[in-house]
Amino acid sequence: PVRPPSFSYEHDNHTVEGEEFFTHLGAGVAVIPLIGLLESIAIAKAFASKNRYTIDATQELFALGVANMVSSFFGSYPVTGSFSRTAVNSASGVRTPMGTVVTGTLVILALLFVTPYFMYIPSAALGAVIIASVINMVEFEHITEQWRVHKPDVFVWVVSFVCVLFLGIEYGILAGVGVSLALMLYSSAKPGTKIEYTTTYPEIGIVRVDSGLYFPASDSIKATLHHVGLGGKPHKPVIMDMTHLSHLDFSVVRALSRSVEEYDLNKTTLYFACLREDLQEKINRAEIKNLQCFPTVQEAVDAIRESAMNGDVFQPILITEVPSDSVDISSDTGEILKDDRSVPIVVNMETSV
């Protein structure tokens, strides 16, 4: 009968409903719809690629939602895409949704009139139909191309293939999505950076970021900034070029704030340059102490050089010592006297320029 979906069922002469109903379902409440959506979209994209047409994922999800809502009034199974039936349709030359209407009609007629005869069909024969339909979907030639272009994709393919083969298509899709997310998080945690140093005094480190910075990258970018400017003696002022930066989140902003504070404690500077207006507003709202942002890298370099000329930049000059007999030192003032032997005069000292 047609009726609204019931949130209860009978189990061992006991009606399971309410909180107990959802407790019995457990994680299936979220996992079943997720698997259904992933499986349907994966199947649709696979056949769209094979038959050279495009799909609208939003429209696919909307259709699945409406189909499941309507079918719930009839007590049906969850509605999802079927890889085997889609493969059979594709191999049969079906090109329009009308093929689904014909298939549904044949299924209804078969259930009404020929169901008793199905028991005589060997399972191997049914399996052969499906295998013959999907065998052309296996594109082994793309594996070598994936290996040449992006090797991690081959790892995702192997994990998905093995899990589909031994656990089922649902778990294979989930495993593939999980591995892809893990690789994506790893690349986000290790953002691409390019480090350069100026050749003039004071020596300035310039860190260029190639992409957006998300929370997994907060520790990595903080460690990079520490290494460039504070990783050795003498300490260097650093400019962070954010020309290609597209995103900042709270964790990254907090890491940048701590880096600025660390540079201040070591009496050197960390400047930011080429920030987009919306990203600069986001950093300004963090109220970072001694924050300095410049429209261009050159302006930041000029500001550091001007500070150096005014004595505001402290950069130790550590120079190798020479034997005392190579230089003449005044006993009264301690100054280095001119050496007529043209021996290079070097001193181990720390100065403020």
Side-chain angles (χ1 to χ4, degrees):
V2 180
R3 61 183 181 183
S6 175
F7 292 96
S8 64
Y9 64 93
E10 296 292 330
H11 179 69
D12 293 336
N13 296 324
H14 169 65
T15 301
V16 178
E17 58 185 353
E19 182 179 353
E20 186 181 6
F21 174 81
F22 291 100
T23 301
H24 280 203
L25 287 177
V29 174
V31 173
I32 292 175
L34 178 62
I35 290 177
L37 294 177
L38 290 176
E39 185 176 0
S40 298
I41 296 299
I43 294 168
K45 287 188 174 182
F47 283 93
S49 175
K50 176 179 175 58
N51 297 315
R52 302 184 183 279
Y53 61 85
T54 59
I55 64 168
D56 184 351
T58 302
Q59 187 68 23
E60 295 289 329
L61 297 179
F62 180 76
L64 284 173
V66 172
N68 277 286
M69 289 177 61
V70 173
S71 64
S72 66
F73 287 87
F74 298 89
S76 71
Y77 287 104
V79 178
T80 62
S82 170
F83 189 85
S84 57
R85 289 195 296 273
T86 305
V88 171
N89 274 353
S90 178
S92 302
V94 174
R95 293 292 180 268
T96 67
M98 191 64 186
T100 305
V101 176
V102 174
T103 301
T105 302
L106 292 176
V107 169
I108 293 174
L109 293 175
L111 292 174
L112 291 176
F113 301 109
V114 296
T115 302
Y117 304 102
F118 285 170
M119 62 180 298
Y120 299 108
I121 301 177
S123 298
L126 298 176
V129 173
I130 297 175
I131 292 174
S133 301
V134 303
I135 191 65
N136 293 327
M137 293 297 300
V138 183
E139 299 174 337
F140 289 105
E141 64 275 9
H142 290 322
I143 299 177
T144 55
E145 183 180 357
Q146 287 180 346
W147 180 261
R148 292 195 305 268
V149 176
H150 194 226
K151 292 178 177 61
D153 287 345
V154 179
F155 177 68
V156 176
W157 182 90
V158 171
V159 171
S160 302
F161 179 80
V162 172
C163 290
V164 168
L165 191 62
F166 294 100
L167 301 178
I169 186 172
E170 298 88 356
Y171 295 103
I173 292 175
L174 287 177
V177 171
V179 173
S180 298
L181 288 176
L183 293 174
M184 186 183 303
L185 287 175
Y186 178 79
S187 61
S188 298
K190 301 291 184 180
T193 55
K194 183 179 180 181
I195 301 172
E196 299 175 347
Y197 294 94
T198 61
T199 56
T200 57
Y201 184 84
E203 186 180 10
I204 304 171
I206 301 176
V207 179
R208 290 186 168 88
V209 184
D210 294 337
S211 61
L213 296 178
Y214 298 86
F215 72 93
S218 57
D219 291 337
S220 175
I221 199 65
K222 186 174 182 295
T224 300
L225 292 174
H226 176 88
H227 171 74
V228 173
L230 307 176
K233 297 289 186 176
H235 294 161
K236 306 176 185 66
V238 172
I239 300 171
M240 188 171 180
D241 182 1
M242 297 184 170
T243 303
H244 303 292
L245 197 65
S246 59
H247 177 80
L248 285 173
D249 63 14
F250 172 74
S251 298
V252 175
V253 173
R254 185 170 61 176
L256 296 178
S257 174
R258 291 177 177 175
S259 294
V260 172
E261 180 181 355
E262 185 180 20
Y263 271 72
D264 287 340
L265 291 175
N266 286 276
K267 297 183 179 181
T268 186
T269 54
L270 173 60
Y271 289 165
F272 302 100
C274 305
L275 268 168
R276 276 179 12 192
E277 184 177 351
D278 57 327
L279 298 182
Q280 184 166 344
E281 290 179 358
K282 186 180 294 187
I283 289 184
N284 290 337
R285 287 196 294 267
E287 298 180 353
I288 301 175
K289 185 179 179 181
N290 297 326
L291 174 68
Q292 294 284 346
C293 297
F294 295 87
T296 64
V297 173
Q298 185 59 50
E299 291 184 34
V301 171
D302 293 340
I304 292 176
R305 289 175 178 170
E306 183 178 353
S307 297
M309 296 299 296
N310 295 333
D312 296 332
V313 173
F314 291 83
Q315 190 173 62
I317 302 177
L318 300 179
I319 310 178
T320 307
E321 294 183 353
V322 297
S324 58
D325 57 357
S326 298
V327 296
D328 293 327
I329 301 177
S330 172
S331 59
D332 297 329
T333 63
E335 295 179 351
I336 301 173
L337 302 178
K338 184 177 179 181
D339 189 352
D340 296 333
R341 292 171 295 179
S342 300
V343 177
I345 298 176
V346 288
V347 183
N348 188 356
M349 59 185 296
E350 182 173 306
T351 61
S352 173
V353 180

